[in-house]
Amino acid sequence: MTSTDLYDDDEAYEGVPGGGGYYLEPPRRSRLGRIVIISVILALLVGGLGAAWLQRKIDPPGSPGAEVVLNIQEGTSTATIAAMLDEKGVISNATIFKYYLRVKGEDPFDAGSYRFRTNEDFDSVVATFRRGPEILVQRLTVPEGRTLKQI
């Protein structure tokens, strides 16, 4: 303890048997320390809310809805596919989906016809793309006696 920590203050001990005396000065908290603590708390709060919002975009609440068929042409970019999925209501945000695909390394997709559901989570959409496009089988009748060139 230093002499600057002790103060003679008779008024601090009024009513105490023996009268005045010395008391310790309460520790001072720095303004910078308070600002840092408040900043950290606010950053954690904002980060937590941001993470919760992002999670709801990646995996929306509720069950998937109606079936949606999406036809992707050869050479369609990932950004265009994300916009098409967003427009059809399969995903909730095309921009977040594009970043999600980058992080997962899921690029590019094959052209063709895909079946999705509205309000689907990103993992399900990516799994549908991994399986590849649907192969539509139609009936074909080949008359007897025709050559391959004639067919």
Side-chain angles (χ1 to χ4, degrees):
M1 228 184 305
T2 65
S3 61
T4 58
D5 292 336
L6 300 173
Y7 291 90
D8 187 13
D9 187 2
D10 290 336
E11 295 174 11
Y13 289 98
E14 278 184 27
V16 176
Y22 293 96
Y23 72 96
L24 292 174
E25 181 180 303
R28 294 184 184 179
R29 294 189 184 200
S30 72
R31 177 171 260 156
L32 179 63
R34 287 182 188 166
I35 291 172
V36 168
I37 289 171
I38 290 171
S39 298
V40 167
I41 290 171
L42 285 175
L44 289 172
L45 182 64
V46 169
L49 290 173
W53 175 82
L54 184 62
Q55 181 59 33
R56 289 179 67 91
K57 293 295 180 185
I58 292 172
D59 187 7
S63 58
E67 190 174 275
V68 174
V69 176
L70 186 68
N71 293 311
I72 298 177
Q73 302 299 320
E74 188 71 35
T76 304
S77 69
T78 304
T80 304
I81 292 171
M84 291 166 63
L85 289 167
D86 191 10
E87 183 182 308
K88 298 273 187 174
V90 175
I91 60 172
S92 56
N93 190 304
T95 304
I96 294 173
F97 186 68
K98 287 187 301 188
Y99 287 119
Y100 182 83
L101 293 175
R102 258 189 227 157
V103 169
K104 293 285 188 173
E106 297 290 339
D107 195 35
F109 300 121
D110 294 332
S113 181
Y114 294 88
R115 288 187 193 276
F116 300 100
R117 295 200 166 276
T118 57
N119 199 39
E120 223 174 330
D121 64 280
F122 288 4
D123 284 333
S124 297
V125 173
V126 170
T128 300
F129 280 122
R130 275 194 209 136
R131 283 192 297 272
E134 291 183 352
I135 298 173
L136 301 175
V137 179
Q138 295 181 350
R139 189 174 183 161
L140 175 67
T141 305
V142 179
E144 291 180 39
R146 300 271 171 107
T147 64
L148 187 57
K149 189 174 183 180
Q150 290 172 333
I151 294 172

